[in-house]
Amino acid sequence: MQYNGDRLLNRRNFLLGAGLFTGLVIASKTWPVIAQPIFSNYPFQLGVASGDPLPDGIVLWTRLAPEPLNGGGMQPVNVPVEWQIARDEKMTQVVQKGTVLATPELAHSIHVDVRGLEPNRWYWYQFKVGNEVSPIGRTRTAPAPNNSIQQLNFAFASCQDWQNGFYTAYKNMAEEDLDLIVHLGDYIYEYGANSDTPRQHIGEEIITLNDYRNRYALYKTDVNLQAVHAKFPWIVTWDDHEVENNYANYIPENNQSREAFITRRVNAYQAYYENMPLRLSSLPNKSSMLLYRRLTFGDLAEFNVLDTRQYRTDQPCNDGLKPRCDAALDSQATMTGAKQERWLLQGLDKSQARWNIIAQQTMLAQFDFDPRSEVQFFNLDQWDGYVASRDRLLNFLEQRKPSNPVVITGDIHSSWVNDLKADFNNPQSATVGTEFICTSISSDFPTRFIESTQAALSNNPHTKFFNGNYRGYVRCKLTRDNWQSDYRVVSTITEQDATISTLASFVVENGQPGAKAA
């Protein structure tokens, strides 16, 4: 972008201009405001997105990046961006509009928290900066509180390693009839370039803020990912790869100093916020970021969105796939931290929704991965490494009986359906909920583990389904009587044009926890 001296405005006069700005404005006094910027290239190359639908509001997102893989390619200036939201896709029936500043501090991303919209309806939105206009995005508000709605359609997904393959799943997801998307983490991967993959990361493993910004930009250049962002509102949460594989709180995976890892976490959290359609309430405060939250869709569904990385205690027994040590049974071990755990249980207890959804990252159900041995082998990065924390949740579900608890999970790059048991070691114990786990969009599930996991199913009777061969997502249809999950998978991720099919479908009936094959 070039400076245009005729358009350089006094910042104070600009900001005080008769209510010119609405929405989020975070501007540094250091930088000038350029009202008519000249860009080196099209500035909306990362597309548009929306998220966190409320009955009267939605977050609209974009990021100015004329040179996406070069830190965005923006000069250190504040840039006014116009936005508008309309009832029609031709943008003729505009209901609200305004201007916000895209600032260097947030990589020239903007997060417009639009309020005053009508509940349970589609809207279209667009941005303009200078003489450039963005693509038109579509979004939808949530139904009004306690409004009795008959159906909700959504899909959930996770784990989209750029290097492992193409986002053919997103190409097909964009054609689905959905109200929203839930992304359960691993939106990016932090690893360095691998030359033996269908497409490559740029550079080494990411550490700095500029590294993370460029990695998000790389992923967001994918046209299929952009299409799904532009078609539906998203609800997002993270897992580990948005920072580093298997990190826990302030504990890195490898031998990095605490100070160095905190700096890395600060960088990663800021870049995540910059690139997601999140409200100001999630703006990072140095190394902390409030991401757990609750979104309600009439009286039909309520989403409890968890963060199981930022507050968890360290993985026990030095992590890995192995027998449990005493630390895995420690009553003080936690996936969520005490505050988030109280928030979750209190919310479930007060909920008036027909379906109570816990959107989170790693497998909640117990699973013994080695049926050949009398010694059980567990994945200790999952809830199997935090037994007391899981027991508190499952005991609550058994005793307080919130309506139809369903857990949706990502992380493990494979498709699963689990009944959640009061006691996993006693198949006759009560089923207190259901867990649906999506496979990955593109990340690999090692072939060597597929056969052994299938062999272990007989020792884990609460697991109703497993498949590690295919990539894709889960499509969910909720009515007042049933929840149906369709496991949608693509034929390949090594080619751009893949076919889509339904691998399996499972149903949960209202008032009957546990899944049945449809």
Side-chain angles (χ1 to χ4, degrees), residues 189-191 205-209 211-212 240-245 247 252-254 256-271 287:
Y189 279 67
E190 80 280 19
Y191 302 138
E205 182 160 332
I206 55 178
I207 300 291
T208 68
L209 177 57
D211 289 342
Y212 282 100
D240 52 344
H241 289 288
E242 286 86 355
V243 180
E244 180 190 40
N245 180 54
Y247 88 96
E253 179 185 30
N254 298 313
Q256 188 178 26
S257 73
R258 178 181 173 89
E259 293 74 16
F261 182 71
I262 290 174
T263 299
R264 184 180 189 180
R265 194 173 110 160
V266 168
N267 296 335
Y269 282 16
Q270 177 167 338
S287 63

Side-chain angles (χ1 to χ4, degrees), residues 404-457:
N404 298 318
V406 176
V407 177
I408 58 174
T409 300
D411 176 66
I412 198 169
H413 309 174
S414 45
S415 300
W416 303 67
V417 178
N418 295 314
D419 287 351
L420 299 175
K421 307 295 286 187
D423 180 0
F424 286 108
N425 295 318
N426 176 12
Q428 303 306 313
S429 69
T431 299
V432 300
T434 311
E435 181 177 32
F436 294 116
I437 303 177
C438 64
T439 186
S440 60
I441 291 293
S442 59
S443 305
D444 189 38
F445 186 83
T447 303
R448 66 184 185 277
F449 288 140
I450 294 177
E451 185 175 343
S452 61
T453 303
Q454 289 172 333
L457 292 174

